[in-house]
Amino acid sequence: MPRKILVTSALPYANGSIHLGHLVEYIQTDIWVRFQKMRGNTCHYVCADDTHGTPIMLRAEKEGITPEQLIARVWQEHYADFTAFHVEFDNYGSTNSSENRVCAETIYKSLKSKGLIEVRSIEQFYDPVKNMFLPDRFIKGECPKCHAKDQYGDNCEVCGAAYAPTELINPYSAVSGAKPELRNSDHYFFKLSSATCQQFLREWTRSGSLQPEAANKMQEWLGTEGENKLSDWDISRDAPYFGFEIPDAPGKYFYVWLDAPVGYMGSFRQLCNSKGISYDEYWKQGSDAELYHFIGKDILYFHALFWPAMLHHAGFRTPTKLFSHGFLTVNGEKMSKSRGTFITARSYIDHIKDTEYLRYYYAAKLNGTMEDIDLNLDDFVAKVNSDLIGKYINIASRCAGFISKRFDGLLGKVNSVATAEFESAFKNGEIAHCYEQRDFSRALREIMRLADVANQYIAEKKPWELAKQEGKDAELHEVCSSAMTLFRDLTLYLKPVLPELAKQVENFLNISPRSTCCFLKPNCLARLS
């Protein structure tokens, strides 16, 4: 039976450009989604721009435009970048949508009705120069856990810990540089420290929904049985703030990290409304649909603790799995503007027209774990030239011309010995298994091994020499037909990674697009007639 799958990537923030580090996630997700669709599964891929918060408000103010004008412009920029890298969403929305407002308010009201929302007065940092309460990301200081310098007020980018901004050591305002003052304000808290949330999270984080290394990290944050290491989560912010006002709480707004993951639901609801899909089939508790979130390891805390707890206690289903990935380094080092290795998607597009080269290189590095991957620029060039040009394209370049010039573009008899290795690979389903497990690097190694088999066959048969010999037309036709059949099969295997090139090859070979790809199913050996 076909599976029903909903897939999301983390929402890019509407205060900056898409860069090559971001693209690790979106390319990885897109490859997996394309594979699922080729398997014949019902798979929906949704995402959205994350548009709320003080940074958006302040940037719009600086540019002399409204926040709505800013996020509309950035949405177009982000969507154009994703399209250029062939990342194909079924719906790409915005967290500043009516659908997302309804979803956020529904979750909040449900949590409140169950006694999991509490209002309490807190001391909060206030910028005496800008005359505003400071959001977490605009307070910086020393992490109270690992003592890393210049960390934001909500979580540490070095150790991943989450904390209250008042816990920072030597805090300062990132807006004005002033030393912030502590003032009292009423805030709304999700009672994450409650016994019911604690018990649920202990069970959920051990349920298999997390990668082993992520599950181990969660146990560190949760502590042992009987411990209560989680703090209640502040889900409100004071005006002025760009976001959704909390129902029945004038001047109080949902913290951006509350309505950002809810954006998955809002974006999917937009898709449901436009395509007639049942929203409840995917989000109700007990749903037989599958829900997968692809995220960076830096936001694991929010997605593995806050998000499932919110969903469960608000009466919705929780993710089937979180797929967390590592960071991107360039030439072995953290991306850096000063070293010229902080590369935006638009800069890449302006300099290297074929964006599928990067898709292939990332796929060749990804193995489904939380390990960081490195973009080595010299290795990037060598890998593309060796695999895509030297192995894959080389098959067609050595044989397609003979088919066109000598045999009116028609394939003939295919040699069963030549295709035996490929048929064995089809039967064992190894490549499909690797795609399913997000072990793309292993899948591509197997595909390139098959490309080597095809090239070896061509080298042994030497069609360029057969073409010069009298009476060898039948053998030449068989050799080239066999080689082009193998080339077609390789194209189908590479299609999740190289969708545009696959489309060009399908046009070149005059075959219909393979939207449901039988080659990725074991024991299915469809062939060109």
Side-chain angles (χ1 to χ4, degrees), residues 174-241:
V175 181
S176 68
K179 183 178 179 179
E181 300 174 357
L182 282 172
R183 298 190 182 183
N184 281 77
S185 175
D186 284 345
H187 272 236
Y188 291 67
F189 288 82
F190 173 39
K191 296 170 70 174
L192 197 68
S193 67
S194 65
T196 182
C197 282
Q198 292 267 349
Q199 185 58 36
F200 163 73
L201 287 172
R202 289 188 191 284
E203 294 172 0
W204 188 82
T205 55
R206 296 186 181 117
S207 68
S209 294
L210 303 176
Q211 295 141 293
E213 57 266 52
N216 291 338
K217 188 67 176 177
M218 290 305 104
Q219 302 320 308
E220 291 179 23
W221 285 334
L222 284 166
T224 58
E225 295 288 345
E227 283 189 283
N228 189 348
K229 295 180 70 174
L230 292 181
S231 301
D232 291 340
W233 183 33
D234 188 347
I235 61 167
S236 67
R237 293 297 181 268
D238 292 285
Y241 193 81

Side-chain angles (χ1 to χ4, degrees), residues 223-277:
T224 58
E225 295 288 345
E227 283 189 283
N228 189 348
K229 295 180 70 174
L230 292 181
S231 301
D232 291 340
W233 183 33
D234 188 347
I235 61 167
S236 67
R237 293 297 181 268
D238 292 285
Y241 193 81
F242 179 58
F244 294 144
E245 197 166 33
I246 298 175
D248 303 319
K252 304 293 180 180
Y253 292 79
F254 285 129
Y255 173 40
V256 63
W257 259 110
L258 182 134
D259 66 60
V262 175
Y264 303 140
M265 306 172 86
S267 183
F268 184 62
R269 188 174 282 282
Q270 286 182 335
L271 180 66
C272 292
N273 292 343
S274 65
K275 300 293 184 182
I277 301 166

Side-chain angles (χ1 to χ4, degrees), residues 8-19:
T8 76
S9 297
L11 312 188
Y13 197 44
N15 194 38
S17 300
I18 303 299
H19 57 68

Side-chain angles (χ1 to χ4, degrees), residues 211-377:
Q211 295 141 293
E213 57 266 52
N216 291 338
K217 188 67 176 177
M218 290 305 104
Q219 302 320 308
E220 291 179 23
W221 285 334
L222 284 166
T224 58
E225 295 288 345
E227 283 189 283
N228 189 348
K229 295 180 70 174
L230 292 181
S231 301
D232 291 340
W233 183 33
D234 188 347
I235 61 167
S236 67
R237 293 297 181 268
D238 292 285
Y241 193 81
F242 179 58
F244 294 144
E245 197 166 33
I246 298 175
D248 303 319
K252 304 293 180 180
Y253 292 79
F254 285 129
Y255 173 40
V256 63
W257 259 110
L258 182 134
D259 66 60
V262 175
Y264 303 140
M265 306 172 86
S267 183
F268 184 62
R269 188 174 282 282
Q270 286 182 335
L271 180 66
C272 292
N273 292 343
S274 65
K275 300 293 184 182
I277 301 166
S278 170
Y279 178 84
D280 287 342
E281 276 189 24
Y282 289 82
W283 284 104
K284 67 181 180 181
Q285 283 190 350
S287 167
D288 62 354
E290 301 168 45
L291 172 62
Y292 299 99
H293 298 311
F294 284 74
I295 60 168
K297 62 184 179 182
D298 55 325
I299 55 174
L300 183 61
Y301 193 98
F302 295 95
H303 281 79
L305 296 178
F306 299 165
W307 178 231
M310 282 170 52
L311 287 171
H312 176 74
H313 293 292
F316 294 98
R317 58 89 43 81
T318 52
T320 306
K321 285 186 182 294
L322 299 182
F323 294 145
S324 184
H325 61 83
F327 301 131
L328 177 75
T329 57
V330 179
N331 292 334
E333 298 180 340
K334 186 177 180 179
M335 287 194 298
S336 165
K337 291 182 179 179
S338 63
R339 296 190 186 96
T341 57
F342 187 91
I343 306 168
T344 65
R346 185 52 45 184
S347 177
Y348 181 101
I349 295 163
D350 290 342
H351 289 85
I352 305 175
K353 300 304 179 185
D354 197 328
T355 55
E356 288 193 304
Y357 292 158
L358 190 69
R359 287 177 65 100
Y360 183 84
Y361 190 75
Y362 280 177
K365 294 273 187 172
L366 289 164
N367 59 12
T369 72
M370 293 168 60
E371 296 174 359
D372 294 347
I373 69 170
D374 184 54
L375 170 58
N376 181 287
L377 299 178

